[in-house]
Amino acid sequence: MVNVMNEIRLIYKAAVDAVKPGQLVNQAVRCLGNVVTIKEELEIEVDKNCHVIGFGKAVLAMALQMDTIIGHHTMKGIISIPHGVMSQYSLPDQFLKRYTIYEGAVNNIPDEESLKATKEIEEMVSNLKDCDVLFVLISGGGSALLASPVDDLTLDDKQKTIQLLSKSGANIQELNSVRKKLSRIKGGKLAQLSYPATTVALILSDVIGNPLDVIASGPTVENKDPQNRGWNIIQKYQLENQLPVKVAKCLSFTSPRNEISFDHVRNYLIGSNLTALQAAEAHATQIGFVTAVLSDHIQGEAKEIGKNFAQIARIVAQMMAKSNDQHKHMEALSVAAENLNVDPRFCCTLERLIRGCFNTRKNLCLIGGGETTVSVRGSGLGGRNQEMVLSYLVETAENPASLDELEVVFLSAGTDGIDGPTAAAGATTCDGLFKEAQAQGLDPITYLDNNDSYNFFHLFQQGNYHLITGPSGTNVMDIHILCFNWKQRNVSL
């Protein structure tokens, strides 16, 4: 089992390594003399007229690589990054001369440092001319690091609103629709400020489906949300009477939309969750697994998704170990896979892979990605990935996935290395841990009901099943991995 645990962690590491921001920027941008080329599509003539701004968890690494490429043409840079990120880097003197760096948004909540950074960004961008070129570096976490509430709203008003929505289980699309309505700079308003300068955004996606108007609340993308969308979201979660009065007034007010041209803006996606999943798939294949990517659109309540993964694990293990009853198992697999947004047509491919594993005794690795939510009911400490793994652990207590000849391991972790307001990226689990936890005096069900997944994995077996990597410097949502290993393999196969 130790070997399987090491393998699944290395598969996760391969996924994260593939979406390192500097590497992605280097693949997307090159500069030859006075010409900058973006993704082999756009050529821009530059001559010491470049300005760089950025906001997000991955932005420092993006900015460092941009400075390597166009530093000799860069007049000024301003970036807003999470608190504590600078300490992970040794920053060149030339970079520090060109760039002003703000660290803020502790626990992904906008704060005074976010406000200061945004104010300076607004001032710089609003003074650009048509001869200037503005590069905008955007990654996950950018919404909290780019904070400029509309008139009359305070930062505290905005914080309370987002916290209410988060605890109610609102997804990232809903959160960012509300943020756009409450902001002076999100929802395309940064692009309005940058006009008439040529504006190029390089975007690392942390949103399912990669909608550019949602990532970091779409500061460089035209906002096509209906005027009442923000207020409709508040009503959906029945929060009308809990909002600060000024927020309720702002969200319920319909104002005419400013129609402006976005012809001066180009938005480029340079990395996504699928980039990471494909790298995980390649590594798992390299070390001997039969491998498949289930979906990069996994979303919903973390606790329920954990149960769905447990169901898939049981069904797949039974199909791998037994050649009979395949039709019955396929029906159940199709239902469970649908809950993970797996394309129904892919189930036939998956059946062939499973049958091949039965015939050849090869190990199987199933990989998924996306972003779930947690509806907070308890007072514990945790994150969506740890909650998902704990839910899987509880679900497999009475009906384990592993069989006499097969062992099954599950991992779920954030690519940013930060799962909720905790020090962990996620966790791993396998069958039998429920009883081992009880023997240690820990009741997994109690911890799950209290949304206290972090403390469960921290206490259980001295944290051996916790995945603690530290901040990765990137963010493309979450990775979920199921590994099915034969306990006795024919190594000649």
Side-chain angles (χ1 to χ4, degrees):
M1 181 63 72
V2 172
N3 185 50
V4 187
M5 284 293 181
N6 288 338
E7 287 179 333
I8 201 170
R9 288 170 182 251
L10 289 173
I11 294 169
Y12 162 77
K13 182 178 183 299
V16 175
D17 287 346
V19 287
K20 290 295 186 182
Q23 174 180 312
L24 295 173
V25 168
N26 199 49
Q27 292 168 358
V29 183
R30 61 184 173 86
C31 180
L32 186 60
N34 283 14
V35 177
V36 175
T37 304
I38 311 295
K39 295 194 77 169
E40 305 301 331
E41 295 177 15
L42 176 68
E43 290 187 351
I44 307 170
E45 290 190 11
V46 297
D47 186 11
K48 295 182 173 54
N49 60 339
C50 295
H51 306 261
V52 182
I53 61 172
F55 29 89
K57 296 177 181 178
V59 157
L60 180 54
M62 294 172 77
L64 282 166
Q65 190 59 41
M66 282 295 289
D67 201 58
T68 299
I69 299 169
I70 63 163
H72 54 299
H73 287 298
T74 300
M75 301 304 293
K76 184 173 177 58
I78 305 168
I79 57 175
S80 179
I81 61 176
H83 180 75
V85 169
M86 279 182 67
S87 63
Q88 302 168 40
Y89 292 82
S90 177
L91 301 177
D93 289 340
Q94 285 300 317
F95 180 81
L96 291 171
K97 288 178 182 178
R98 282 189 279 264
Y99 279 78
T100 302
I101 304 172
Y102 291 89
E103 286 190 305
V106 177
N107 292 330
N108 206 33
I109 301 296
D111 54 21
E112 291 298 326
E113 289 302 303
S114 306
L115 282 175
K116 290 178 186 177
T118 308
K119 182 178 180 181
E120 186 166 345
I121 286 172
E122 288 176 306
E123 289 177 357
M124 184 182 88
V125 169
S126 61
N127 288 313
L128 296 179
K129 305 292 188 291
D130 58 1
C131 59
D132 291 315
V133 179
L134 175 67
F135 290 97
V136 186
L137 312 178
I138 302 174
S139 77
S143 289
L145 290 158
L146 189 72
S148 183
V150 294
D151 295 340
D152 296 332
L153 287 190
T154 66
L155 185 60
D156 187 57
D157 291 333
K158 198 170 180 181
Q159 288 173 339
K160 287 179 179 176
T161 303
I162 298 305
Q163 287 171 339
L164 280 170
L165 284 165
S166 296
K167 288 184 178 181
S168 298
N171 62 34
I172 189 65
Q173 289 86 352
E174 292 170 327
L175 288 171
N176 285 0
S177 285
V178 171
R179 283 167 166 149
K180 284 188 273 187
K181 184 75 172 179
L182 302 179
S183 173
R184 297 195 311 157
I185 199 164
K186 297 181 172 78
K189 296 165 192 168
L190 176 62
Q192 294 180 30
L193 282 179
S194 72
Y195 181 83
T198 298
T199 301
V200 178
L202 303 176
I203 303 170
L204 190 56
S205 174
D206 69 332
V207 182
I208 288 174
N210 309 320
L212 300 184
D213 64 322
V214 176
I215 301 165
S217 305
T220 59
V221 182
E222 184 178 2
N223 181 19
K224 296 184 179 180
D225 284 353
Q227 285 283 330
N228 60 350
R229 175 160 168 73
W231 186 245
N232 288 344
I233 292 166
I234 296 299
Q235 291 179 316
K236 173 183 174 180
Y237 294 101
Q238 300 179 352
L239 298 174
E240 302 97 313
N241 297 325
Q242 299 179 53
L243 291 179
V245 174
K246 290 180 181 178
V247 171
K249 182 179 179 181
C250 177
L251 291 175
S252 60
F253 178 69
T254 302
S255 58
R257 196 188 300 276
N258 290 329
E259 298 295 338
I260 69 157
S261 170
F262 281 77
D263 290 346
H264 66 296
V265 182
R266 296 289 184 275
N267 292 292
Y268 290 94
L269 181 71
I270 64 169
S272 67
N273 185 257
L274 185 59
T275 310
L277 298 187
Q278 290 171 337
E281 179 184 28
H283 183 80
T285 301
Q286 183 180 354
I287 61 177
F289 285 91
V290 173
T291 312
V293 173
L294 295 174
S295 172
D296 64 342
H297 280 64
I298 296 173
Q299 57 189 318
E301 189 71 26
K303 187 184 295 186
E304 296 304 314
I305 299 300
K307 291 179 182 178
N308 291 330
F309 269 111
Q311 292 166 4
I312 287 177
R314 279 195 296 268
I315 297 165
V316 170
Q318 290 167 1
M319 292 176 71
M320 283 180 68
K322 301 175 183 178
S323 61
N324 58 348
D325 295 330
Q326 294 292 312
H327 180 70
K328 181 181 73 174
H329 290 320
M330 271 306 299
E331 289 182 349
L333 180 61
S334 296
V335 173
E338 184 179 356
N339 293 330
L340 297 182
N341 286 324
V342 177
D343 188 329
R345 295 169 295 182
F346 181 70
C347 287
C348 294
T349 302
L350 186 55
E351 181 186 17
R352 290 195 296 272
L353 294 177
I354 295 168
R355 189 182 298 120
C357 290
F358 170 80
N359 292 329
T360 63
R361 285 301 192 264
K362 285 191 174 181
N363 295 334
L364 177 66
C365 178
L366 301 179
I367 303 165
E371 186 168 272
T372 60
T373 56
V374 175
S375 296
V376 178
R377 303 283 185 260
S379 58
L381 179 65
R384 57 183 181 261
N385 290 286
Q386 294 162 89
E387 175 138 333
M388 187 188 300
V389 176
L390 184 54
S391 175
Y392 177 103
L393 185 155
V394 170
E395 181 69 13
T396 54
E398 295 298 328
N399 297 294
S402 297
L403 303 172
D404 290 341
E405 60 267 59
L406 270 173
E407 56 189 4
V408 184
V409 177
F410 179 54
L411 175 149
S412 184
T415 54
D416 60 358
I418 306 166
D419 188 35
T422 77
T428 60
T429 190
C430 57
D431 288 332
L433 298 191
F434 189 94
K435 290 183 179 178
E436 291 183 27
Q438 287 182 319
Q440 193 181 318
L442 303 173
D443 179 14
I445 296 176
T446 299
Y447 279 90
L448 183 61
D449 289 344
N450 195 35
N451 303 116
D452 203 15
S453 54
Y454 174 83
N455 285 315
F456 172 82
F457 285 109
H458 178 69
L459 295 170
F460 178 54
Q461 292 195 6
Q462 298 180 316
N464 285 339
Y465 292 89
H466 240 156
L467 185 61
I468 298 179
T469 63
S472 68
T474 192
N475 183 24
V476 294
M477 299 184 288
D478 303 330
I479 306 291
H480 320 299
I481 307 171
L482 270 173
C483 286
F484 302 80
N485 281 42
W486 295 100
K487 293 180 181 178
Q488 293 183 340
R489 290 180 65 196
N490 184 346
V491 294
S492 66
L493 290 173

